[in-house]
Amino acid sequence: FADPSRGIVKLLADSVRSKNGWSDGPNLVAIFNKMFNEHASYKLCLPQDAMAEAKKKGLIMPGSRTNDANDFKSCFMVRHYAGQIVYTVQDWVPKSDDTLLPHLTDLMNGSSLRYVTQLFEHEPQAAKITIGEKFREQLDMLDARLQEGKTSFVRCIKTNAELKPLLVDRPMVLEQLVHGGV
């Protein structure tokens, strides 16, 4: 599921590299559904899930029966530690293509300003990876750095939605603890 060699980010990167649009929107979700349907953290997005998400985000008017804003065939769901998230993948492929055209890289590398050339000196190599792959690399580097040291932090829990003293909403506290991995 999150495996760098065959996970969601890898499938997205392959789709970006193919540049033929065969796997974007509903087609990409169909691939995800086939590959990850049995994974504990992956959930098929049903029409009622997409409708509930669209209503929650204010994308459709209350009482409306249409859901143009969040077509469920372009959605999938992932259960993260912080709760269930609905992802909409319409136009994901073009949005994930973060490559700079070769002639622009050459132009930036030829700048008389040292700062500009430093920004783009590694661009040809970086242009081969997608935004998702860059994000995964950054997360891996952050994880490695965090593993090197001892982490100490204070976990803050809201005791009630009204933020009133001496009032504890037990289900709200429990939900925060569960989603926080406690």
Side-chain angles (χ1 to χ4, degrees), residues 11-154:
L11 287 172
L12 179 58
D14 291 345
S15 297
V16 169
R17 287 187 188 98
S18 73
K19 295 196 186 277
N20 63 11
W22 62 268
S23 58
D24 198 12
N27 293 329
L28 186 58
V29 170
I31 293 168
F32 290 170
N33 289 345
K34 184 177 178 181
M35 290 190 70
F36 306 119
N37 193 36
E38 300 298 318
H39 195 282
S41 295
Y42 187 87
K43 184 175 185 281
L44 207 70
C45 188
L46 302 173
Q48 57 268 29
D49 297 323
M51 182 69 95
E53 186 70 15
K55 283 182 180 177
K56 186 170 76 174
K57 291 181 177 179
L59 298 174
I60 57 174
M61 300 301 294
S64 174
R65 305 283 299 158
T66 61
N67 190 8
D68 296 334
N70 214 4
D71 181 11
F72 80 97
K73 292 177 184 171
S74 294
C75 299
F76 67 95
M77 302 169 86
V78 174
R79 290 181 199 95
H80 293 283
Y81 73 93
Q84 189 164 275
I85 306 293
V86 176
Y87 291 92
T88 304
V89 298
Q90 193 64 42
D91 299 324
W92 241 24
V93 170
K95 291 174 185 173
S96 295
D97 187 1
D98 190 33
T99 57
L100 191 60
L101 296 173
H103 73 282
L104 293 176
T105 301
D106 293 342
L107 180 67
M108 295 298 149
N109 281 328
S111 174
S112 61
L113 300 173
R114 179 73 183 134
Y115 174 72
V116 173
T117 58
Q118 286 175 335
L119 285 174
F120 292 91
E121 64 189 358
H122 300 294
E123 188 61 31
Q125 176 192 3
K128 295 180 176 117
I129 64 174
T130 66
I131 292 171
E133 290 170 314
K134 287 178 189 176
F135 182 65
R136 173 169 293 293
E137 283 180 2
Q138 291 169 348
L139 284 178
D140 289 343
M141 288 188 313
L142 175 62
D143 184 47
R145 188 168 183 183
L146 290 174
Q147 295 298 328
E148 290 173 1
K150 293 183 180 180
T151 54
S152 300
F153 61 92
V154 175

